[in-house]
Amino acid sequence: MTSTAVSHKPVRWGRVAVHLGCLAALLVMLYPLAWLLATSLKPADEVIASLDLLPSHLEWSNYSTAMEGVNDVSIWRLLGNSLLIAGGAVLGNVISCSLAAYAFARLRFRLRGPLFAFMIATIMLPHHAVLIPQYIIFNQLGLVNTYWPLILPKFLATEAFFVFLIVQFMRGLPRELEEAARIDGCGPFRSFFQVVLPLTRPALITTAIFTFIWTWNDFFTQLIYLFDPDKFTLTLALRSFVDASSTSAFGPMFAMSVIALLPIVLFFLAFQRFLVEGMASSGVKG
Amino acid sequence: MTTTAIPTETKRVTATAPKRRPKREREGAAWVFLSPWVLGAIVLTLLPMAVSLYLSFTDYDLFNPPKWVGLRNYVQMFTEDPRYWRSVVTTVTYVVIAVPLQLALALVVALALKGMKRGKAFYRSAFYAPSLLGASMSIALVWRAVFNDGGTVDNLLGTGGWVNKPGWSLLAVALLTVWQFGAPMVIFLAGLQQIPAELYEAAAVDGAGKWRQFVSVTVPMLSPVLFFNLVLQTIQAFQVFTPAFAVSAGKGGPADSTLVYTMYLYDRGFVASHMGYASAMAWVLLLVIGVVTAVLFRTSRSWVFYASEGDR
C-alpha cells in the first residue's frame, strides 16, 4: 500500500512490443481513412502530382462542389433518399424480426422445429438465388424504380440473421416473468409487448444499428432497382463517379465519399459499445 | 400453482378453466406473430427459388415470355462460355487468398489483444471500424485510387498501378476484404475469453510452454469459433461484389481479372437481359455454396472440438 510501490514495477517489454505492434497495424489500417480525408481537401493539381498526404492548403470548395450533388440532384435529396430507405429498413426489420423471433423463442406451434431449421438455413442462402425472381415480381407490380423493393422485404422478416439474433437473446430471458404475466391474465400479445419486448431492447438496438449501416452501405440492390437520378441514394450517386472519374473531379468525389461515410462514423462512435458487443455475441460480419 | 387459491374476483378465472387458455388459441397466436415471416418466406424466398430454378431452363429477357430451352443454359455455361469459367476461377482465387489471410490476421490480433489490460477496448473498436466502413462505395473508391497508377502503393513499392495489371488487380480487391478483419477478430476475442483460465494453469503445471499451451489448449478450445468464422466468411466471400465493381470501374477488368462471379451474373442478367442464363448461374452458386458448406461441416468433425457435445 506504499506509494513508492509504483516505481518498482518492472517494465514488461513483451507488453510494450504488443502495444507497438498494435499501434503500427493501426496506422496502416487507418491510412486509407486519413487518405480519404486529406484528398477530400486537396486542390485538384495536388491529388496525383503530390506525394504528401497533407494538402498544401485546405480546398473547401471540394465540399461546396460536392454539396451541389450529381446529375443536377442536390446532395440533400440524395441524403434524404438514403435516410428514407435506411429508416424504412430499420423499422421493418425491428418489427418483423422481433415478432417472428418471439414465436420461435417462446411459443409452441406445430412445425416449429422444421420451420426454425429452415429459417436458419436461409441465413446461408446466397441473395442471388432469389434476386432475379424478386426483381421480376417487383417489375410485374410496377415497383421497380421505387423504394418498395428496398423496404418492403424488411417488413417480412427476410433477414433471418436478425430473427436468429433476437431468438438467441429472448431465450436468455427468465421464463418466470412471462409465467407471472400469464397468471396475471396476460395473453401472448400483452406479454410480448409489455414484458418481453422491453427486455429485448439490447438485441433490438443491435438489429437497428446493423440494419441501418448495412442498408446505408448497400450497393447491389440499389443498383438494380433504382434508375432515376433523383431517386438515387448517396451510394448510387458515388457510383456515377466510378465510370468516368477524371482527376479534376477527384476532390469533390472524395468530399462526397466523406459525407456518405459520416452517418456511419457517427453511428459507430455513438453505439460502438453496443456494436462491438452485439457483434461478439452473435457473430455478425460488418 | 393451484388456481383455486386465486380469489374469484375476476370472472375470467373460473373454476372450470383452471389451467390456461385453450391450446389452439395459443397456437393461433404463434401464427399471428409468425405471419410476416411466413409471408416473406413463401413470397420472397421459396417461390423465387422455385421460379429461378424454372427460369434457369429458359430463355427470358423480361419482356417476352420465357422460352423453355432445357439444359441449354447450363451446357453453354460449362462448355461454351470462357468468361463464365474466368469468373469462376477469379472468384475461387479471391476466396482462397482473402479468407485465410483475413482469418489469420484476425486470430493474430485477437491473441495480441487477449491478455491486454489497458487499451483493449480502444484497439478492439479501432480494428473493427473498417469492417463497417469497408462495405461502402466510399472506401472502394479510395481503394481504387490508392492502388492506381501514381497512388500510394505504386509510390511505395514502385509496382505501377495494381488496378491496371491483370495479375495484380484481384489482389487489391482481396486486400480490401483482408482489411476488414475486425468482424472475425471480435468473434475470436469473445471466444478466447470463454476459455477457462484453469486450463492454462493446469497445462502450465504440467510443464507446457506458451507454444504448447497454444496448440493444446487455445486451438482446440477455439476451434468451434474458428469454424464458425471460416464458414461465414467463405460464404460471404463467394458473393463479393462492391469492391470488385468499384476497383474495376464497373467492368471487371483489366482483362476480366476482377470479373467475380456475382459481377458476371449481374452483367448477364441485368446488363445483357439474359435472365434465364443469370438464373442458371445463381443456382450453380447456390449449389456450390451448399456443397462447400457441407464439406466444411464434414471435415470439421476431425478438427472442431466441442467441450459439451451436442451443444451447438
Side-chain angles (χ1 to χ4, degrees):
Chain A
M1 277 306 220
T2 52
S3 55
T4 50
V6 176
S7 58
H8 293 299
K9 242 185 205 165
V11 180
R12 302 253 180 90
W13 289 109
R15 202 161 278 177
V16 172
V18 168
H19 274 281
L20 286 178
C22 283
L23 284 174
L26 212 54
L27 277 181
V28 174
M29 292 203 39
L30 295 183
Y31 175 82
L33 303 180
W35 186 95
L36 170 59
L37 214 54
T39 308
S40 75
L41 289 165
K42 272 185 180 176
D45 58 321
E46 285 178 32
V47 168
I48 286 294
S50 162
L51 297 183
D52 294 333
L53 189 60
L54 292 179
S56 63
H57 69 277
L58 299 181
E59 187 67 53
W60 291 105
S61 73
N62 287 337
Y63 279 86
S64 45
T65 311
M67 294 305 280
E68 285 164 21
V70 184
N71 309 320
D72 294 325
V73 181
S74 84
I75 198 151
W76 297 111
R77 182 74 204 251
L78 300 169
L79 263 170
N81 294 344
S82 282
L83 270 176
L84 182 71
I85 293 171
V90 167
L91 200 66
N93 260 352
V94 167
I95 295 174
S96 65
C97 295
S98 60
L99 287 172
Y102 182 68
F104 280 125
R106 285 300 209 233
L107 302 174
R108 298 279 166 272
F109 50 94
R110 259 172 296 148
L111 295 176
R112 180 165 167 272
L115 286 182
F116 188 72
F118 172 76
M119 194 270 294
I120 297 291
T122 59
I123 295 178
M124 296 189 195
L125 185 74
H127 181 47
H128 306 84
V130 292
L131 179 79
I132 290 166
Q134 279 187 8
Y135 184 87
I136 294 167
I137 292 170
F138 285 117
N139 192 35
Q140 300 274 331
L141 295 172
L143 294 177
V144 165
N145 202 24
T146 71
Y147 300 138
W148 289 110
L150 301 164
I151 299 175
L152 198 63
K154 317 278 176 174
F155 278 88
L156 300 179
T158 45
E159 294 203 41
F161 174 77
F162 293 115
V163 180
F164 177 65
L165 185 141
I166 302 171
V167 164
Q168 291 296 87
F169 191 89
M170 282 180 177
R171 278 181 177 163
L173 299 175
R175 265 186 186 282
E176 288 78 23
L177 287 168
E178 280 164 281
E179 271 157 26
R182 188 185 299 162
I183 290 169
D184 288 347
C186 278
F189 295 97
R190 275 186 65 188
S191 69
F192 171 69
F193 284 110
Q194 298 186 345
V195 179
V196 174
L197 210 53
L199 293 171
T200 314
R201 216 163 68 189
L204 299 183
I205 292 174
T206 306
T207 300
I209 299 167
F210 276 110
T211 305
F212 182 88
I213 292 175
W214 288 351
T215 313
W216 189 272
N217 278 343
D218 174 41
F219 174 65
F220 192 73
T221 334
Q222 298 171 7
L223 176 69
I224 63 170
Y225 280 116
L226 301 176
F227 308 137
D228 288 346
D230 66 336
K231 292 199 175 106
F232 274 11
T233 57
L234 267 177
T235 302
L236 281 183
L238 275 173
R239 187 253 163 151
S240 311
F241 289 111
V242 167
D243 301 328
S245 64
S246 63
T247 333
S248 61
F250 247 49
M253 166 168 109
F254 286 112
M256 191 178 248
S257 296
V258 171
I259 297 171
L261 283 185
L262 220 52
I264 308 177
V265 172
L266 293 178
F267 251 76
F268 179 70
L269 293 178
F271 297 112
Q272 48 137 325
R273 240 191 105 76
F274 275 114
L275 267 175
V276 176
E277 253 137 48
M279 241 292 307
S281 58
S282 58
V284 190
K285 153 122 166 112
Chain B
M1 282 300 222
T2 48
T3 41
T4 43
I6 296 173
T8 45
E9 284 153 19
T10 37
K11 275 273 162 61
R12 231 164 286 166
V13 188
T14 55
T16 46
K19 275 202 189 152
R20 56 189 71 170
R21 283 144 191 275
K23 210 173 177 194
R24 198 173 299 157
E25 188 186 332
R26 297 195 69 83
E27 169 128 3
W31 289 104
V32 172
F33 280 101
L34 220 51
S35 54
W37 178 82
V38 170
L39 191 63
I42 294 171
V43 177
L44 293 173
T45 306
L46 284 176
L47 180 74
M49 281 176 74
V51 171
S52 127
L53 184 61
Y54 163 71
L55 285 178
S56 75
F57 300 112
T58 68
D59 251 347
Y60 183 49
D61 61 3
L62 272 187
F63 307 106
N64 302 300
K67 204 173 83 211
W68 184 266
V69 293
L71 288 172
R72 187 82 200 85
N73 287 326
Y74 292 94
V75 171
Q76 192 184 342
M77 241 159 66
F78 292 135
T79 61
E80 297 158 28
D81 188 352
R83 284 191 89 198
Y84 175 81
W85 282 111
R86 179 81 237 192
S87 78
V88 170
V89 171
T90 302
T91 307
V92 171
T93 312
Y94 161 81
V95 171
V96 168
I97 296 173
V99 175
L101 268 179
Q102 188 202 38
L103 291 184
L105 202 56
L107 182 57
V108 167
V109 174
L111 286 169
L113 297 189
K114 180 193 152 205
M116 208 179 263
K117 290 204 180 67
R118 224 171 297 167
K120 186 196 218 161
F122 164 74
Y123 286 125
R124 203 174 61 157
S125 293
F127 283 126
Y128 181 58
S131 290
L132 288 174
L133 303 178
S136 65
M137 185 48 84
S138 303
I139 296 295
L141 289 173
V142 171
W143 225 253
R144 180 151 73 110
V146 166
F147 284 92
N148 212 333
D149 262 330
T152 312
V153 174
D154 180 18
N155 287 326
L156 278 177
L157 306 175
T159 50
W162 283 7
V163 170
N164 307 312
K165 284 189 178 171
W168 292 86
S169 52
L170 190 64
L171 188 60
V173 178
L175 284 179
L176 177 50
T177 307
V178 175
W179 184 64
Q180 298 173 264
F181 69 82
M185 174 207 73
V186 170
I187 299 171
F188 275 137
L189 204 50
L192 285 170
Q193 251 126 32
Q194 302 289 318
I195 304 176
E198 299 89 65
L199 287 181
Y200 289 104
E201 284 156 21
V205 168
D206 288 347
K210 283 274 175 229
W211 174 249
R212 187 71 224 202
Q213 288 179 24
F214 175 74
V215 172
S216 304
V217 179
T218 309
V219 171
M221 291 302 286
L222 202 60
S223 58
V225 178
L226 182 63
F227 177 63
F228 175 84
N229 271 336
L230 181 66
V231 171
L232 209 69
Q233 300 300 330
T234 305
I235 290 175
Q236 298 201 333
F238 269 107
Q239 301 173 61
V240 64
F241 183 82
T242 309
F245 188 95
V247 164
S248 68
K251 294 181 184 69
D256 283 350
S257 61
T258 54
L259 186 77
V260 289
Y261 199 91
T262 55
M263 252 180 99
Y264 191 49
L265 191 154
Y266 167 75
D267 176 75
R268 289 297 87 196
F270 294 91
V271 180
S273 283
H274 293 318
M275 287 293 182
Y277 196 76
S279 297
M281 283 189 71
W283 262 87
V284 172
L285 180 66
L286 176 71
L287 292 178
V288 167
I289 288 182
V291 167
V292 169
T293 310
V295 167
L296 286 176
F297 267 95
R298 191 159 272 271
T299 60
S300 78
R301 286 183 202 157
S302 63
W303 63 271
V304 175
F305 167 78
Y306 292 102
S308 50
E309 279 302 343
D311 193 41
R312 262 193 284 180

